[in-house]
Amino acid sequence: MEYLILFLPLVAAIISGFFNKIIGEKFCNYITCLFTTISAILSIIIFYYVIVNGYENNLIIAKWINSGSLEVNWSIKIDALSAVMLVVVNLISSLVHIYSIGYMSHDPHKPRFMAYLSLFTFAMLTLVTSDNFLQLFFGWEGVGLCSYFLIGFWFKKNSANSAAIKAFLVNRVGDFGFALGIFLIFYLFGTVNYNEVFQQINLFTNDELNFLGIKINSIDLVCILLFIGAMGKSAQFFLHTWLPDAMEGPTPVSALIHAATMVTAGVFLVVRCSPIFEYSEFALSIVTIIGMTTSIFAGSVALVQDDIKKIIAYSTCSQLGYMFFATGVGAYNVAMFHLFTHAFFKALLFLGAGSVIHAFHEEQNINNMGGVKNKLPITYTLMLVGTLALTGFPLLSGFFSKDAIIEFAFLKDSSLGYYAAAIGIFTALLTSIYSWRLIFKTFHGDFNNRSIKIDEIQESPMVMTIPLVILAIGSIFSGYFFKDLFIGFEKSYQFWSSSIFFLEPLSSEHPPKWFIFLTPTLVTFSIPIAYYFFVKRKDLLPLIVDGNRPLYNFLKKKWYFDEIYEFLFVSSLKKIGFYFWKKIDGLVIDRFGPDGISNLIKILSNKAVKFQSGFIYQYAFIMLVGFSALLTYLIIK
């Protein structure tokens, strides 16, 4: 069963990628959707076995590397953590595959697209089922490569190519840190296998290394390097700039990247390495600070975005910040709970946005929409469910998982925990405002599109709406039905016992009632406020913007990160490269190297050709000169 879960998406990718001209487009659609769906069903069965029977396994597919002390297997590790990720990855991937049949129906290269989706799924499955850091890194790089393929799928668009390259390069920064972390793990422990590393951690708690002339605790350094990798893959503060640009890819790609695969890999890495992070208070503080900074940064920027996909993208960035500061305060199980619920409503929102874009003939600016809630009743209703879940509306999935993160941060009973909780509450308010702004400007008010008539707006076909319905069910019920399993004090410790390590048990106390009701109250009251400003009194918004123009420009420019990176890295590196190209390569290397030699040979050949005149007396003279030179050489010698 485990082998099928892992390899069915790979087989589907190979068939659709290499044999699409033989079997045809329809069969490629069917085979990729069928194989990923079977993999999803089997993942749910494995998840059930883990819940009911505590099922664990580690299947060795092959011996991979055996050199000296380095022994690495290609394996499939099944425990609670990998079982949860299998369900998230395969279920969302299968729904995205099915949805893509309708969304990409007019694209001439759909078999290639479906092959990329399946390959992306396989890479993520390889990542989450690894039992060692090397296989993890293989899957890590695999999802990075597939994201490059998918973001730049419409490669004839310059913006798509630029976005793909940007995502690839920014992730290389994080991956370099991750690779250094793996090297350091092997240097310290002599192995890269999880169990062997985790068993030795407590022996190195006081070990120090000289890193760049600075003495630093070895466990702290390992955790920081691993987290740098997680920052790149999960688009955390400083390494987040690739995420909004990734919206250049087709919308199903956005749903898969943001809900189930690439961006969740960083959270998975930190949770999987909880036995290491638990011994580094310093690293956990860094994780908390970066996480809460990311959450408020992305939430503030999403307030002023006009692209429907970029609003949801920044929302993903913000929610990932929640997950990371949950791990930072030691609530790894709560982070996984939010990852689990978030996958449903974020995939729902992205695919719902795709349905809107499809109806508006590829229009993505919410200012050019409006007034279509009656024309798109199914999409409107389902996106409403996703929005309520995202904002943490009472009794929906986001309410149970996101509020739990804020509560556990508060119960950490430290200044950093209180600060994280406050940031979490404020970000929840921002989330509600920008989420309802999207809904109201997209579906309510007047129809603002001048390119098409409102009568041309039609609901998406069933192949696109059925996945939305399934995701909506998960968005409503996943929090309620799984909260005890994921974060209940008795069941959760039993469920996570073999896959998450807690150096100290989480607090079993409850926060004050006023604190429990604070976030849901703010979220609920923000709905009529957003309706008032974005539907009833839209004339007030320009006045508010004009009165706060510097702040608006700061948010609109995304805190000027792109401009700062352009100045510090892109422009400076271009100038350095241009200098070396023109001055060093052109005037020195080329001039005295290949160009100089070729010019010299050309000059000599032009001179030599003059001896080929056809006159016998000239040939005799040249022969005489040559004979004289040879005779002189022999005499001197």
Side-chain angles (χ1 to χ4, degrees), residues 412-569:
K412 182 69 174 176
D413 197 24
S414 66
S415 57
L416 192 59
Y418 292 140
Y419 185 48
I423 293 294
I425 293 171
F426 183 66
T427 304
L429 177 62
L430 295 180
T431 303
S432 184
I433 293 173
Y434 68 68
S435 297
W436 288 109
R437 173 178 176 264
L438 185 152
I439 290 293
F440 292 141
K441 289 181 77 68
T442 302
F443 294 101
H444 290 258
D446 299 324
F447 183 76
N448 298 313
N449 195 292
R450 297 180 180 180
S451 301
I452 58 175
K453 297 180 180 179
I454 192 169
D455 294 333
E456 298 178 34
I457 302 294
Q458 294 181 352
E459 188 61 86
S460 299
M462 292 291 287
V463 72
M464 293 173 64
T465 55
I466 289 176
L468 297 181
V469 172
I470 296 172
L471 291 169
I473 294 172
S475 300
I476 296 171
F477 298 109
S478 62
Y480 177 79
F481 283 109
F482 290 97
K483 60 182 174 64
D484 289 335
L485 180 69
F486 279 78
I487 61 175
F489 291 108
E490 294 182 3
K491 287 185 178 180
S492 66
Y493 281 113
Q494 183 179 355
F495 178 68
W496 297 111
S497 59
S498 63
S499 54
I500 295 180
F501 175 75
F502 297 96
L503 190 61
E504 296 179 0
L506 296 176
S507 174
S508 59
E509 298 179 2
H510 292 281
K513 287 186 178 180
W514 66 266
F515 186 83
I516 295 175
F517 287 106
L518 179 59
T519 305
T521 302
L522 290 174
V523 166
T524 303
F525 275 103
S526 68
I527 299 175
I529 295 173
Y531 183 80
Y532 179 78
F533 281 106
F534 298 121
V535 178
K536 286 294 185 181
R537 293 296 306 274
K538 291 189 291 185
D539 56 303
L540 294 178
L541 287 176
L543 299 177
I544 296 174
V545 169
D546 290 339
N548 299 274
R549 182 60 63 177
L551 176 61
Y552 176 81
N553 291 336
F554 179 70
L555 298 180
K556 192 71 174 178
K557 291 291 186 178
K558 300 163 287 190
W559 291 25
Y560 292 100
F561 265 99
D562 284 330
E563 288 77 8
I564 293 171
Y565 287 172
E566 176 74 24
F567 175 75
L568 291 178
F569 303 114

Side-chain angles (χ1 to χ4, degrees), residues 110-337:
K110 188 160 64 172
R112 176 166 60 91
F113 180 77
M114 302 299 278
Y116 286 164
L117 287 182
S118 296
L119 185 62
F120 200 175
T121 305
F122 167 73
M124 190 65 187
L125 294 176
T126 303
L127 189 157
V128 301
T129 57
S130 63
D131 73 343
N132 60 81
F133 286 98
L134 208 56
Q135 183 181 333
L136 175 75
F137 191 72
F138 174 85
W140 193 271
E141 294 302 304
V143 295
L145 177 64
C146 293
S147 70
Y148 173 80
F149 290 152
L150 288 166
I151 294 169
F153 179 75
W154 287 320
F155 55 85
K156 293 184 179 180
K157 291 171 58 180
N158 290 330
S159 57
N161 285 324
S162 298
I165 293 171
K166 185 176 183 179
F168 198 76
L169 291 177
V170 173
N171 272 275
R172 294 290 71 73
V173 177
D175 293 352
F176 180 69
F178 186 30
L180 289 179
I182 296 175
F183 296 153
L184 183 56
I185 285 172
F186 181 70
Y187 172 77
L188 291 173
F189 306 107
T191 180
V192 291
N193 296 314
Y194 293 153
N195 290 338
E196 297 171 8
V197 172
F198 297 159
Q199 288 170 4
Q200 301 180 57
I201 291 296
N202 57 356
L203 302 177
F204 289 83
T205 52
N206 297 319
D207 187 58
E208 289 187 341
L209 290 171
N210 193 322
F211 183 71
L212 300 178
I214 303 172
K215 281 191 175 182
I216 185 171
N217 182 276
S218 57
I219 301 300
D220 289 346
L221 183 57
V222 168
C223 291
I224 290 171
L225 291 173
L226 292 178
F227 181 59
I228 289 173
M231 286 173 63
K233 201 64 71 182
S234 294
Q236 292 301 282
F237 200 65
F238 296 122
L239 297 179
H240 65 275
T241 53
W242 68 269
L243 193 68
D245 289 6
M247 297 302 99
E248 288 293 337
T251 302
V253 174
S254 305
L256 192 58
I257 290 177
H258 288 245
T261 54
M262 187 167 171
V263 297
T264 62
V267 180
F268 171 81
L269 172 65
V270 175
V271 176
R272 174 61 82 190
C273 295
S274 58
I276 306 177
F277 278 87
E278 279 292 271
Y279 286 97
S280 176
E281 191 66 32
F282 175 71
L284 287 177
S285 299
I286 297 295
V287 174
T288 305
I289 292 170
I290 293 294
M292 62 189 184
T293 305
T294 304
S295 65
I296 194 169
F297 154 75
S300 64
V301 172
L303 287 172
V304 298
Q305 296 299 306
D306 295 322
D307 187 307
I308 188 171
K309 288 171 64 176
K310 286 190 176 182
I311 295 172
I312 305 174
Y314 277 110
S315 171
T316 299
C317 194
S318 181
Q319 297 306 306
L320 288 166
Y322 273 100
M323 298 176 205
F324 274 109
F325 80 67
T327 62
V329 298
Y332 305 97
N333 55 334
V334 186
M336 287 304 301
F337 184 36

